[in-house]
Amino acid sequence: MLTKIQKIGEQSLAEAKELLLQGECVAFPTETVYGLGGDARSDEAVEKIYRVKGRPQDNPLIVHVHSEYDLHSLIYDDQPYVKRLREAFLPGPLTLVYRSRGKVSAKVSCGLDTLAVRIPEHPGAQRFLKYVDIPVAAPSANRSKHVSPVSAQHVYDDLNGKIPLILDGGPCSGGIESTVCDVTGSYPVVLRAGLITREMIEHAVGRCDAYVPKEGERVRSPGMKYKHYAPACETRLFSSAAVSEALAALNEAVRSGRRVRVLCEDCIAGAFPAEMVLNLGNDGIEMAENLYRLLREAEACADLLIAVEPHERGGIMTGVLNRLQKACAGE
Ligand code: TXA
Ligand code: MG
């Protein structure tokens, strides 16, 4: 199959709509990462999403709709704080997990009685979702377990030949996937950290917990149990206090003829040879924006990536660190 990359316009949107209604997958930009969209109402389309990605069948998908879509036709929201959450943060990089009305394919949620819904704010995503005006199921548009795509080219590199169309909306400014927040209980619970932080949600509605799976419990966000975001090269992760150990590892690898890159925050970049540094930047927002692009740069030019954890904790760094640790974790 020929995979086209097209800027978002009347013609590409019409083509995207036709493809979706035929049960095909179309990649589209959001402010977080690119999504691999399919018609959420169709079992076959949803199955195709899993197949194209090579995604495990028990990891549910997020449904995407535009701002004016009749959200309540898809879900129940019985908790009073949820409206306030939506008003504070949507459209934006926040996915809410509701009780489902069962109006989309059961395969979207892998048989769970909940449905994750996202209203992205990216103008290209809004335009696409308004044009097609159906609920679009979409995971990140990468091969399963690989680094999430933050440009149309990244999608192409992973899925060339497997999907007919990539809508190109330029690089994603957010850089890490949306916050996933369960709103079925009496207070919100963050299942996956992201740019809308637990602290921001707590500030908006008074209480918000971060989900920590208890020993032996069935995980509430099934995606959490899988290896994720991993570049193709070998990775070694060092704590923020272990800069000299990281430098020693780098020197040893260089001596044995390996091609090495170092991924680290700006304030310690000076400790490493400049030509080997992939600089994450100075704060959470910059690091989120740069992380996936730099992981993909690393795998393109190195056989070993030495990553040093940034020192800041909490807020956006919770999500950034979570992605970095998963990218560098073993199977
Ligand atoms: O920013 C994003 O969220 C991107 C863009 C494309 O919107 N999408 C994305 O999708 O990251 P994906 O499939 O890579 O991650 C979806 C996450 C997984 O961790 C999954 O387990 C969780 O959302 N999820 C989906 N439905 C759920 C549900 N009903 N209950 C709990 N977790 C759910
Ligand atoms: Mg993903």
Side-chain angles (χ1 to χ4, degrees), residues 53 55 139-140 142 148 177 192 228-229:
K53 264 192 80 117
R55 182 182 179 100
S140 49
N142 51 284
S148 299
E177 299 83 353
R192 177 175 75 182
H228 262 108
Y229 323 119

Side-chain angles (χ1 to χ4, degrees), residues 30 32-35 55 59-62 64 95 97 109 112 114-116 118 138-140 177-178 180 191-192 220-223:
T30 81
T32 57
V33 302
Y34 274 71
R55 182 182 179 100
N59 187 9
L61 306 177
I62 297 171
H64 298 66
T95 297
V97 175
S109 294
L112 299 170
T114 51
L115 183 67
R118 172 154 189 246
S140 49
E177 299 83 353
S178 64
V180 177
L191 304 179
R192 177 175 75 182
R220 267 165 73 179
S221 191

Side-chain angles (χ1 to χ4, degrees), residues 127-160:
R127 206 174 152 197
F128 163 67
L129 292 167
K130 279 195 182 120
Y131 195 96
V132 300
D133 203 27
I134 58 170
V136 174
S140 49
N142 51 284
R143 273 181 290 108
S144 188
K145 302 188 174 66
H146 193 218
V147 183
S148 299
V150 291
S151 71
Q153 184 62 44
H154 292 162
V155 180
Y156 187 85
D157 293 343
D158 273 26
L159 301 179
N160 178 24

